């Protein structure tokens, strides 16, 4: 198979050693690389029931066949491990520029095991891995750590293309279960605690350098395909909307739909939305559209606060989910203050989505007298203190650092906590968007909105949000297509442009494989099967495919929306059937053919 190097680097941090191997014969063509290959390797190499923070848990970085190609939306990498936040299969993705530097090393996969006795940072190049002491980086925030590693590379290596750096902040060093891996200052492999796993291995940063170039099967086909997509993008309404307003445009959309989670999932809209939406961001901050490499969407908002106590603060963001977490759930009614909290999380290396959910949960606990801690909705500075205490595991922050399940158990609030398998949902309430209930319940990494981005067909009325019959079948098709995105590794915001036919073209042009839709769906289904088997092996049971109790019982908004248990069970049963699993949610053994 072309479009890949057919090489993977296995790094043992304990021994400060590495070896170079090739995947098993035929494995790349059967998985397409990216998520497909990483899931296979994780299932094969991780010991069953391993502690996520032990040296034996593997941390895998992966590029895809389209990485470093002309394909738009292709500059992304994936991280795969066992999550310390959920105990489940973990996948997380990040954009920016790093993926192309990863590909420049001449490897498709970097699989890391072990743990260093002292802090290290790792330099990966075309010939292997070099281990550097990182005592001087210990305790630095992500911005400073990245900058220092890049400066060292610039001063000590002749790399005309520079380098890509991934790093962790204090939260990762302290193994906070929802710590992130950061790159390009503001880009994050942001969910399920990949930064904590990196921290458990005592790795502060990894730098990637190299000038390798992959051989594409049909460079002319890929060039023509990318040119046609660029032409389409000029008139595409979605692309123009992302470039003009970015993801914060979803604040107005979701408030209008009555599905914008507010006051820790008690309300369906924010009365102050005009102070935290895209309009407020562009009015009160100086904003320039910002894009990852190989992208014309430019969904990022490179924003600088114009006035007030945070004047001069520059950040790429806030994105919709960060606004939803702090502006909605915590009722912070100022876009400048949300930008401040976003910046703090990025520096500390915290996932903003979980951070905002946990802050709001703590506010509820305080208001109910469950904890001896004073904090309330909208209190920005108290929220900021809580975030810092969590990153450094101080006081009540030590409880939050272990995640929502532990906090809920300790505070006797398990009936109120909003999560699935330990991961909090995104800012799309499933009491309104029923398909998102299926998305949250069925995702192998917990309450994830990205595995199928099913809010899109529901909001655009491709399927009615309240429809139950037939929803799981449509959901499985969307999930399969986007699983192929993750094997290649592509940005989700190209989902409307890259239908099955476009995926066929880029796979043929990059890899040489001539796949039909049913072939791609078979590959995607096999990957879903393996993620499911991984979770079952780690102790997750089908009964864990359930939503928080409040979504079944607490009515939302003036229409009193809930998601009924029988409807949820119907969608799950239909989903298992669509996946070819048994009625008990278990994959059949003959599906696991690799």
């Amino acid at each position: 198979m072309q479009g890949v190097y057919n090489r993977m680097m296995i790094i043992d941090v304990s021994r400060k050693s590495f070896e170079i191997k090739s995947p098993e014969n035929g494995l790349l063509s059967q998985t397409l690389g990216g998520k497909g290959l990483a899931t296979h390797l994780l299932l094969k190499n991780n010991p069953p029931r391993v502690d996520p923070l032990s040296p034996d848990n593997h941390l895998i970085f992966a590029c895809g066949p389209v990485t470093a190609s002309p394909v738009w939306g292709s500059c992304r990498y994936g991280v795969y491990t066992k999550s310390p936040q959920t105990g489940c299969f973990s996948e997380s993705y990040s954009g920016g520029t790093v993926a192309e530097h990863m590909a420049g090393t001449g490897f498709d996969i970097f699989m890391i095991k072990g743990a260093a006795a002292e802090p290290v940072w790792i330099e990966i190049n075309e010939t292997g891995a070099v281990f550097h002491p990182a005592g001087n980086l210990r305790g630095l925030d992500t911005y400073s750590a990245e900058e220092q590693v890049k400066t060292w590379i610039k001063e000590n290596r002749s790399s005309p293309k520079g380098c890509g750096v991934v790093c962790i902040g204090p939260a990762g060093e302290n193994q906070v279960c929802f710590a992130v891996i950061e790159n390009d200052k503001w880009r994050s492999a942001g969910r399920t605690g990949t930064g904590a796993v990196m921290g458990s291995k005592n790795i502060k940063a990894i730098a990637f350098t190299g000038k390798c170039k992959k051989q594409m099967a049909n460079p002319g086909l890929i060039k023509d395909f990318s040119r046609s997509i660029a032409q389409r993008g000029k008139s595409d309404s979605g692309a123009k909307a992302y470039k003009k307003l970015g993801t914060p445009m979803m604040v107005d959309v979701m408030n209008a739909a009555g599905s914008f989670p507010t006051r820790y999932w008690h309300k369906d809209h924010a009365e102050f939305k005009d102070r935290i939406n895209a309009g407020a961001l562009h009015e009160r901050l100086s904003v320039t559209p910002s894009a990852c490499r190989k992208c014309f969407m430019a969904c990022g908002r490179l924003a600088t606060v114009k006035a007030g106590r945070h004047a001069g603060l520059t950040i790429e963001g806030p994105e919709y989910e960060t606004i939803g977490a702090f502006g909605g759930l915590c009722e912070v009614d100022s876009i400048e203050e949300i930008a401040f909290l976003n910046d703090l999380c990025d520096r500390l290396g915290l996932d903003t989505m979980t951070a905002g959910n946990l802050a709001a949960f703590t506010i509820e606990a305080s208001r109910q007298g469950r904890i001896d801690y004073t904090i309330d909705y909208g209190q920005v500075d108290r929220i900021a203190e809580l975030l810092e205490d969590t990153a450094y595991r101080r006081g009540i922050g030590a409880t939050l650092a272990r995640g929502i399940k532990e906090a809920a158990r300790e505070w006797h609030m398990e009936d109120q906590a909003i999560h699935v398998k330990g991961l909090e949902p995104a800012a799309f309430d499933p009491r309104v968007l029923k398909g998102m209930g299926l998305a949250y319940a069925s995702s192998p990494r917990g309450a994830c909105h990205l595995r199928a981005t099913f809010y899109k067909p529901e909001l655009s009325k491709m399927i009615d949000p309240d429809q139950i019959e037939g929803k799981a079948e449509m959901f499985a098709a969307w999930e399969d297509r986007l699983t192929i995105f993750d094997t290649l590794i592509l940005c989700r915001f190209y989902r409307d442009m890259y239908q099955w036919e476009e995926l066929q073209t880029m796979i043929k042009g990059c890899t040489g494989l001539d796949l039909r839709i049913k072939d791609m769906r078979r590959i995607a289904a096999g990957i879903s099967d393996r993620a499911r088997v991984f979770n079952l092996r780690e102790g997750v049971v089908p009964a864990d495919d359930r939503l928080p109790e409040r979504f079944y019982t607490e009515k939302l908004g003036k229409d009193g929306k809930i998601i009924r248990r029988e409807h949820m069970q119907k969608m799950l049963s239909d989903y298992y059937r669509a996946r070819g699993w048994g009625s008990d949610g278990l994959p059949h053994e003959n599906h696991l053919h690799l």
Side-chain angles (χ1 to χ4, degrees):
M1 186 175 108
Q2 294 174 282
V4 295
Y5 295 109
N6 202 36
R7 295 204 309 165
M8 57 185 187
M9 183 184 294
I10 302 171
I11 299 172
D12 188 332
V13 190
S14 299
R15 298 181 178 182
K16 295 186 178 178
S17 64
F18 68 91
E19 58 180 323
I20 298 171
K21 289 186 174 182
S22 294
E24 304 160 27
N25 286 337
L27 187 57
L28 278 165
S29 61
Q30 291 174 304
T31 64
L32 292 183
K35 177 181 178 178
L37 179 58
T39 304
H40 173 82
L41 292 172
L42 195 64
L43 186 59
K44 179 179 178 180
N45 291 282
N46 250 29
R49 304 296 180 103
V50 67
D51 183 334
L53 298 176
S54 81
D56 292 330
N57 185 24
H58 288 73
L59 181 68
I60 299 174
F61 290 84
C63 298
V66 301
T67 309
S69 78
V71 171
W72 296 103
S74 62
C75 194
R76 295 182 71 76
Y77 67 89
V79 190
Y80 311 86
T81 188
K82 180 180 178 182
S83 168
Q85 185 175 8
T86 66
C88 298
F89 174 80
S90 166
E91 59 182 313
S92 198
Y93 301 87
S94 182
T97 65
V98 166
E100 296 209 353
H101 291 289
M102 284 186 180
T105 65
F107 296 91
D108 305 303
I109 287 274
F110 311 88
M111 186 162 67
I112 304 172
K113 61 181 178 180
E118 300 292 337
V120 297
W121 69 271
I122 305 173
E123 175 190 356
I124 296 179
N125 54 41
E126 297 167 31
T127 59
V130 181
F131 297 84
H132 300 275
N136 63 317
L137 302 179
R138 179 78 184 177
L140 293 183
D141 67 27
T142 59
Y143 300 171
S144 300
E146 179 182 347
E147 186 60 35
Q148 288 205 23
V149 171
K150 284 184 173 179
T151 298
W152 190 95
I153 293 288
K154 183 178 181 180
E155 293 175 350
N156 293 275
R157 298 287 186 262
S158 56
S159 180
K161 291 189 176 181
C163 67
V165 174
V166 299
C167 65
I168 59 173
E173 292 176 359
N174 294 318
Q175 297 171 40
V176 174
C177 79
F178 57 99
V180 304
I181 295 173
E182 294 272 353
N183 61 272
D184 295 290
K185 289 187 73 172
W186 303 296
R187 296 288 175 165
S188 310
R191 306 227 71 193
T192 66
T194 56
V197 177
M198 192 162 153
S200 73
K201 299 184 180 306
N202 233 346
I203 303 170
K204 179 65 176 180
I206 307 174
F208 301 89
T209 67
K211 298 181 289 184
C212 292
K213 292 186 178 180
K214 293 186 289 187
Q215 183 177 351
M216 297 294 165
N218 191 333
L221 177 60
I222 288 297
K223 186 176 180 180
D224 290 344
F225 171 77
S226 298
R227 187 183 293 118
S228 70
I229 293 297
Q231 191 63 35
R232 281 175 55 189
K234 292 178 180 179
S235 58
D236 183 82
S237 59
K240 290 194 288 187
Y242 277 124
K243 190 168 186 176
K244 181 180 179 181
L245 297 173
T247 63
M249 65 182 169
M250 294 300 296
V251 173
D252 286 343
V253 173
M254 296 310 297
N255 271 275
S259 186
F260 184 68
T262 308
R263 189 164 277 246
Y264 195 58
W265 302 90
H266 289 300
K267 296 174 62 179
D268 64 348
H269 70 285
E271 289 87 354
F272 49 86
K273 71 175 181 63
D274 291 337
R275 299 199 289 275
I276 62 172
N277 61 7
L281 177 64
H282 285 78
E283 176 186 345
R284 302 190 62 80
L285 283 76
S286 177
V287 177
T288 302
S290 177
C292 299
R293 192 172 290 178
K294 300 285 176 61
C295 179
F296 55 72
M297 293 281 181
C299 72
R301 307 290 90 184
L302 188 59
T304 301
V305 178
K306 294 179 182 179
R309 66 176 189 154
H310 303 305
L313 170 66
T314 297
I315 187 172
E316 189 174 77
E319 299 287 347
Y320 169 67
E321 292 299 343
T322 302
I323 296 173
F326 290 116
L329 298 178
C330 296
E331 295 195 331
V332 173
D333 64 355
S334 160
I335 193 65
E336 295 97 332
E337 297 296 352
I338 295 171
F340 161 66
L341 293 172
N342 192 162
D343 179 69
L344 180 60
C345 284
D346 285 351
R347 290 178 182 276
L348 294 171
L350 292 171
D351 172 18
T352 59
M353 293 170 67
T354 288
N357 269 273
L358 285 175
F361 185 64
T362 305
I363 289 168
E364 282 293 305
S366 175
R367 290 170 66 91
Q368 295 175 30
R370 307 268 184 155
I371 54 176
D372 185 18
Y373 191 84
T374 303
I375 187 171
D376 209 345
Y377 289 107
Q379 293 183 346
V380 177
D381 290 336
R382 289 294 287 157
I383 294 170
E385 290 174 19
L386 187 67
L387 297 176
E388 290 185 338
D389 286 345
T390 301
Y392 291 100
R393 289 182 172 266
R394 298 187 297 236
I396 201 170
T399 297
L400 297 177
R402 300 197 300 273
I404 184 67
K405 289 191 292 186
E406 292 298 319
R409 187 177 300 118
E410 184 174 317
W411 300 345
H412 305 291
M413 296 177 67
E414 290 170 292
D415 59 333
Q416 299 184 52
I418 301 297
H419 69 90
V420 177
K421 303 181 182 77
L423 188 69
E424 299 85 356
F428 302 92
D429 200 305
R431 286 169 287 189
V432 176
L433 304 176
K434 302 298 193 293
M436 289 307 296
L438 176 60
Y440 295 149
S442 65
S443 168
R445 75 170 187 172
C448 175
H449 65 299
L450 289 174
R451 303 286 57 78
T453 65
F454 207 67
Y455 55 87
K456 175 63 192 294
E458 292 196 305
L459 287 170
S460 62
K461 300 302 172 68
M462 293 172 62
I463 189 168
D464 190 283
D466 287 321
Q467 180 178 330
I468 302 300
E469 192 70 43
K471 182 155 283 186
E473 290 79 7
M474 183 178 182
F475 176 86
W478 272 68
E479 185 178 41
D480 281 350
R481 181 166 60 92
L482 293 180
T483 296
I484 298 299
F485 269 54
D486 292 337
T487 63
L488 295 176
I489 300 174
L490 288 164
C491 174
R492 283 293 189 268
F493 292 157
Y494 286 81
R495 65 185 164 228
D496 293 339
M497 289 190 167
Y498 294 162
Q499 300 295 325
W500 288 111
E501 292 74 15
E502 285 79 12
L503 294 176
Q504 284 178 298
T505 300
M506 69 177 74
I507 289 171
K508 186 173 183 178
C510 288
T511 72
L513 298 175
D514 192 4
L515 301 180
R516 294 167 294 180
I517 294 175
K518 70 175 184 179
D519 299 323
M520 290 185 283
R521 291 204 67 178
R522 175 182 51 79
I523 291 171
I527 296 167
S528 294
D529 288 349
R530 271 160 190 77
R532 183 72 165 185
V533 169
F534 181 92
N535 280 350
L536 292 168
R537 190 183 73 177
E538 299 309 304
V540 179
V541 297
D544 292 323
D545 297 342
R546 64 175 184 269
L547 296 178
E549 181 67 19
R550 285 173 53 199
F551 288 160
Y552 299 124
T553 60
E554 184 178 327
K555 294 182 179 180
L556 184 71
K558 62 182 180 181
D559 295 328
K561 291 275 189 176
I562 58 169
I563 185 166
R564 292 165 56 182
R565 295 180 199 274
E566 59 269 29
H567 287 169
M568 191 67 228
Q569 191 54 54
K570 164 68 173 168
M571 288 192 292
L572 277 172
S573 296
D574 290 349
Y575 175 74
Y576 296 160
R577 189 179 308 109
R579 279 269 155 261
W581 299 346
S583 58
D584 54 3
L586 302 179
H588 297 299
E589 188 173 343
N590 61 1
H591 286 191
L592 307 178
H593 56 275
L594 288 184

